[in-house]
Amino acid sequence: MQIPLFLLLLFVIFVTGADPVIIGHVDTPSLDQITLQRIYTGKTVTLNGVRVTPVNLSPGNELRIGFLRNYLQEDEAEYIGYWTVRRYIGKGAPPQELKSSDDVLQFVIQNLGAIGYVDEMELTPEVKVLLKK
């Protein structure tokens, strides 16, 4: 039995997962991957004198999984474990978690220094693309 090419391509797209685009408030400078990693691990808290506020999607979200894999080279368990230890020793708290990409977009649009990620298809002119793989 042969699988139609369309179904095979659809399966490949589904299995590869989401590839998020890093966005920021329009006044946020572009980032490199190292700076992004430092922001999402609490090691960098300002850029050009402006406090950065990263936000995440909820654990298990397809975009969050893609973000952790593609930009931080971690999986969900590693990232949660990192922040569990960091919080326990008094070195901060993980980024706020939002329920949807629309919530991320609205947060980034409304807050100077805000950084998040969305699917490329969800981009709007009110945000700035900071980093894309």
Side-chain angles (χ1 to χ4, degrees), residues 34-46 52 74 82-83 86 91:
I34 303 265
T35 303
L36 180 71
Q37 289 170 342
R38 291 185 58 77
I39 290 168
Y40 271 86
T41 56
K43 296 174 183 170
T44 294
V45 295
T46 61
V52 290
E74 293 184 342
Y82 170 84
W83 277 108
R86 196 158 168 87
K91 296 287 185 175

Side-chain angles (χ1 to χ4, degrees), residues 39-96:
I39 290 168
Y40 271 86
T41 56
K43 296 174 183 170
T44 294
V45 295
T46 61
L47 288 175
N48 297 345
V50 175
R51 183 163 183 78
V52 290
T53 308
V55 292
N56 263 326
L57 289 167
S58 301
N61 181 290
E62 185 83 17
L63 278 172
R64 177 175 164 137
I65 293 167
F67 167 74
L68 292 173
R69 179 185 62 236
N70 295 333
Y71 292 96
L72 302 187
Q73 284 75 51
E74 293 184 342
D75 63 23
E76 194 76 58
E78 291 169 321
Y79 188 70
I80 290 172
Y82 170 84
W83 277 108
T84 300
V85 170
R86 196 158 168 87
R87 188 178 326 170
Y88 180 76
I89 62 172
K91 296 287 185 175
Q96 178 182 353

Side-chain angles (χ1 to χ4, degrees), residues 3-20:
I3 300 174
L5 182 59
F6 171 76
L7 290 177
L8 185 60
L9 288 174
L10 187 60
F11 176 75
V12 169
I13 290 169
F14 178 74
V15 170
T16 58
D19 290 324

